[in-house]
Amino acid sequence: MKKQIFRGAATALITPFLDGEIDYKALGELIEYQIAGGIDALVIGGTTAEAATLSDEERYKLYTFAKGKIAGRTKLILGTGTNDTRVAISHTKFAERLGCDGVLLVTPYYNKGTESGIEKHYLSIAECADLPIILYNVPSRTGVNLGFNLLDRLSNHPNIVALKEASDSVDRLVTLAAFGDKLHLYSGNDSQIYPTLALGGRGVISVMSNLLPKTTHELCKCYFDGKQSEALKLQLELLPFIKSLFIETNPTPIKFAMAERGFCSTEVRLPLAEPRKSTKEALIRELKKIKKFE
């Protein structure tokens, strides 16, 4: 049986920017807000963090700041995946030296590797450091959907312990659930938290929990505590807000929502841009409705 990195809700934390630089004051306040909300883990340097636009220097400073600020109060997972295996290995080795509870590795994007190439990519990283690895399947961004046979082979490596699944197929979730303890399953979609838990999943790596850490944690806790009807009620009530967060490319909407609540600026890095007026209006409507959950 493989060691579980976390159970419940992890936040794929945004990276707040101000005038082109990482806003560490806002970041520190965000981390404190997450911990106060009972979040079970924080993912730093993932897709929602706009990691693809961070320099290596920025990334490592971000990792180091988060490690010091969290100070062991919740689990720390670092996003170390890229589409260059050598760079991903370098990031993962840094994460190991820094000390964290695990790393998140996105499927190599743009290159669109073959199955054998992707397998070698993941195994090369798994061999470079003694850290628990969460694979991240997000075909809408990468153009690649990790096959079941490939996942089965990868799950044989002791360091590859989990999968963050962000496809839209419930049929696929059912098949992935069959891996059980061989490959722990986390939802990568806020709209699928309840179905993933119902299929034996361990939790969610969430976008909405940037604003709603307490409620996202509570949704998972209710399910694990046997209060499935309460968990389902929360999932259904939150669906309109969740949908509003993906009208445009993440993290543009969640950053706008966080700015509306005074946590940070709306600033994103190109090629992302300020949300459209219609998106802002939709988000403001939903923010009014979910005020009770904050």
Side-chain angles (χ1 to χ4, degrees), residues 45-100:
T47 303
T48 306
E50 298 174 75
T53 64
L54 297 176
S55 68
D56 288 353
E57 181 181 359
E58 286 178 317
R59 181 189 291 262
Y60 295 161
K61 186 177 178 181
L62 178 69
Y63 289 169
T64 304
F65 178 88
K67 168 70 175 176
K69 189 67 175 175
I70 293 167
R73 291 178 291 165
T74 192
K75 295 294 181 70
L76 171 62
I77 299 164
L78 298 177
T80 60
T82 75
N83 64 335
D84 183 331
T85 307
R86 296 168 302 172
V87 175
I89 286 172
S90 178
H91 293 343
T92 304
K93 286 181 175 179
F94 184 92
E96 182 182 38
R97 292 194 299 272
L98 184 65
C100 63

Side-chain angles (χ1 to χ4, degrees), residues 134-153:
I134 304 174
L135 307 178
Y136 181 16
N137 186 52
V138 56
S140 65
R141 285 185 181 264
T142 64
V144 176
N145 203 16
L146 297 177
F148 299 124
N149 290 334
L150 172 59
L151 288 169
D152 186 49
R153 294 194 301 274

